[in-house]
Amino acid sequence: MMFKTVLITLGVLAVITAAGVAWAKHNGYCSKESRMQFVTERIGRKLDLNDDQLGRFEAFAETLRELRTERQDQRVAMKDDVAELLSEPSLDRDRAVSLIDERYRSMDGSKRAIVEAFADFSDSLAPEQRSRLSGLISDRLMHRWGPPRWAH
């Protein structure tokens, strides 16, 4: 009898969870834009940013959004190019190298925009805010990938 109760309870919880996730996705709470907005607001609160700093941070976030959209479009085009290249009877080596070069050029072009936008934001921070930002970044990296292998 206890086993049936546990199974029924778990089943009901699973259905409620699935319905909640479906509702959130349908209402836009799980979109990449809302996630970026959430992260931007959260970092703004954690760093206690003033209006000028918040504007600079939002400009940095917008630069990242634009570059992400660009990259996604390039990724689709690159995937099509690679599929076309592999569908040929023999690999066109020059075309393959040019695709790789094209990818590096696009990354090379965007690094200046990222650095400039981040520098504008970070230069506006007070020393204690900069220290908190450094801590947030290192905590995030540690949480995402764990400690560096060389640190063991």
Side-chain angles (χ1 to χ4, degrees):
M1 186 66 170
M2 181 69 165
F3 182 68
K4 285 183 180 179
T5 305
V6 170
L7 282 178
I8 291 171
T9 304
L10 288 176
V12 169
L13 287 175
V15 168
I16 290 172
T17 301
V21 169
W23 178 84
K25 284 188 173 271
H26 176 72
N27 290 308
Y29 291 104
C30 296
S31 69
K32 291 179 182 175
E33 290 76 24
S34 65
R35 174 76 175 146
M36 185 72 105
Q37 185 65 32
F38 170 76
V39 170
T40 303
E41 290 171 0
R42 182 169 181 230
I43 291 173
R45 281 192 312 273
K46 285 189 177 235
L47 296 178
D48 193 25
L49 300 177
N50 62 33
D51 291 339
D52 178 56
Q53 292 169 331
L54 190 58
R56 291 172 190 252
F57 185 62
E58 286 173 352
F60 172 60
E62 185 59 32
T63 300
L64 292 178
R65 275 188 208 106
E66 290 170 2
L67 291 172
R68 182 188 70 209
T69 303
E70 239 177 71
R71 283 278 153 69
Q72 288 171 339
D73 295 342
Q74 290 172 352
R75 190 175 302 131
V76 169
M78 179 70 73
K79 186 178 89 171
D80 294 342
D81 289 342
V82 168
E84 180 185 321
L85 219 105
L86 293 175
S87 68
E88 298 296 322
S90 66
L91 184 68
D92 182 355
R93 289 175 172 88
D94 293 332
R95 177 74 177 130
V97 169
S98 72
L99 286 174
I100 293 169
D101 289 342
E102 182 181 317
R103 177 75 176 198
Y104 280 123
R105 274 194 304 278
S106 73
M107 289 171 32
D108 195 42
S110 61
K111 67 183 174 189
R112 172 65 63 188
I114 293 171
V115 169
E116 290 296 327
F118 184 74
D120 287 344
F121 165 64
S122 69
D123 290 347
S124 70
L125 295 177
E128 58 274 359
Q129 288 174 316
R130 191 179 283 244
S131 175
R132 275 189 272 159
L133 177 63
S134 176
L136 288 173
I137 291 170
S138 66
D139 288 348
R140 176 67 180 148
L141 292 176
M142 180 67 80
H143 174 73
R144 189 166 190 172
W145 290 298
R149 298 205 188 282
W150 51 265
H152 290 280

